[in-house]
Amino acid sequence: MTAQLLKGRDSAKQLQSELSKGFSELAADTGVQPTLAALQVGTDAAAAGYLRAIRRACQGVGTSLRPVELSEDSSQGEVQAALTELNEDGAVHGIMVLEPLPDHIDSTQLIDLLSPAKDVDGVHPLNAGRLAAQREPHFVPATPAGAMRMLEEAEVDFKGKRAVVIGRSDIVGKPMALLLLHRHCTVTIAHSRTENLPAVARMADILCVAVGRPEMVTGDWVKPGAVVVDFGTTYVDGALKGDCEQDSVAEVAGKFTPVPGGTGPMTNVMLMRNLLSAYRRLAAAPGI
Ligand code: NAP
């Protein structure tokens, strides 16, 4: 069997054009351009790369980015003061704290301080709790939200299906597992301590991998015909690799998100969707 490849680029383009229309109608009606602030501490290459990608995403929908760059030796207090300023600034509608942060900065404290109403990546415990409790309104982390949209567009059947999510991060694995649960999958979350991981993976009708270990999952981990979602993005000798070995997995899977070009392109467009809803929610109920 050779898998149908699910390419996020097409879905992302479609969503980007819908959002561009939304942002331009908003500007025409109100004169407001929702603004995303991105807080970066230091000069980490991955954080800088992410900032470039977010800038492109903002340009793609015609809205504005406010980068706030603090020096590597900024204290926890200084970073928190900058974040508080953004929380209180009425001209800022969404805030992202770019990771990785320098070792001396406590990211948990920053996430707890972030205004839940501007938390467009859904990392604040209030938004994570709302997702877990299936309550609106909340921001769903952009990466798993984008993957779910791709699976819906590919008409994947969720109800009663066995889903295995490898990885339990707050930003990818855990919210993906919750989204699948809310669609009535029977969900297993696997992680670095899971015993006999290949056998656990092989049970999955829908296998999602968010680990960051290039080509860890091979075709013999995959149930024939399964849907495989690869979130992994690791550069190996300058080439972007997913967590799945592409050729062997595509031989066995029914549908498969390749790397590059699978889940990645959707992420930043979903972030723009969250920014637009953050603006709308703040405009409807300022001060939440
Ligand atoms: P993370 O926070 O480092 O979490 C990795 C998870 O993988 C952890 O839960 C860890 O388990 C688990 N793990 C590590 N080694 C394992 C092993 N040998 N077997 C089974 N599980 C193992 O990473 P993340 O932020 O979720 O990101 C995961 C990957 O997705 C990375 O490659 C990242 O670059 C990529 N990513 C992609 C997008 C996108 O748009 N496509 C967005 C965000 C991230 P423990 O909890 O037990 O340590």
Side-chain angles (χ1 to χ4, degrees):
M1 181 183 302
T2 301
Q4 174 196 351
L5 295 182
L6 306 182
K7 297 188 178 174
R9 226 163 251 141
D10 304 337
S11 310
K13 242 187 220 154
Q14 166 71 24
L15 180 58
Q16 188 190 39
S17 96
E18 288 166 28
L19 288 170
S20 296
K21 198 162 164 267
F23 279 101
S24 72
E25 282 171 3
L26 181 71
D29 292 349
T30 63
V32 174
Q33 228 186 16
T35 295
L36 176 63
L39 183 61
Q40 186 186 357
V41 186
T43 54
D44 180 87
Y50 198 26
L51 184 62
R52 283 195 297 277
I54 295 171
R55 179 175 280 114
R56 278 197 301 277
C58 286
Q59 286 165 347
V61 296
T63 199
S64 61
L65 174 73
R66 188 193 297 179
V68 177
E69 287 157 287
L70 301 183
S71 68
E72 184 86 26
D73 59 359
S74 302
S75 68
Q76 181 79 25
E78 285 166 334
V79 179
Q80 291 189 191
L83 184 54
T84 302
E85 235 176 80
L86 295 173
N87 279 344
E88 290 169 359
D89 187 337
V92 168
H93 307 93
I95 304 171
M96 292 202 63
V97 178
L98 300 179
E99 303 226 15
L101 291 156
D103 290 345
H104 67 280
I105 299 296
D106 180 343
S107 69
T108 308
Q109 279 188 32
L110 296 182
I111 287 167
D112 288 353
L113 182 65
L114 185 57
S115 161
K118 297 185 179 183
D119 168 32
V120 286
D121 214 13
V123 290
H124 187 279
L126 189 76
N127 286 316
R130 280 175 169 161
L131 174 61
Q134 222 177 338
R135 302 239 179 98
E136 294 282 352
H138 59 243
F139 296 107
V140 179
T143 301
M148 286 303 285
R149 190 176 163 111
M150 287 171 66
L151 297 184
E152 281 158 9
E153 285 175 0
E155 298 182 343
V156 168
D157 188 13
F158 296 103
K159 204 170 172 182
K161 299 295 175 198
R162 186 148 209 157
V164 173
V165 180
I166 310 180
R168 55 177 165 179
S169 70
D170 291 339
I171 196 76
V172 192
K174 235 182 270 171
M176 187 68 196
L178 286 168
L179 291 168
L180 290 163
L181 181 66
H182 297 337
R183 298 299 303 268
H184 309 296
C185 286
T186 301
V187 182
T188 299
I189 304 178
H191 44 77
S192 65
R193 268 78 151 198
T194 298
E195 292 181 358
N196 206 356
L197 186 57
V200 173
R202 251 188 320 270
M203 292 188 305
D205 301 304
I206 301 169
L207 176 64
C208 303
V209 195
V211 171
R213 288 172 70 99
E215 303 188 328
M216 179 181 86
V217 174
T218 47
D220 56 331
W221 292 38
V222 177
K223 179 174 170 177
V227 177
V228 180
V229 179
D230 188 351
F231 288 110
T233 50
T234 310
Y235 279 93
V236 181
D237 300 329
L240 189 61
K241 297 280 178 196
D243 287 340
C244 296
E245 193 189 72
Q246 309 271 309
D247 292 347
S248 65
V249 169
E251 267 306 303
V252 185
K255 297 180 198 290
F256 177 42
T257 66
V259 176
T263 57
M266 281 298 280
T267 294
N268 291 323
V269 188
M270 293 305 278
L271 192 64
M272 295 300 107
R273 192 174 81 153
N274 283 353
L275 177 64
L276 191 56
S277 45
Y279 168 78
R280 288 187 174 134
R281 194 170 297 139
L282 283 163
I288 59 165

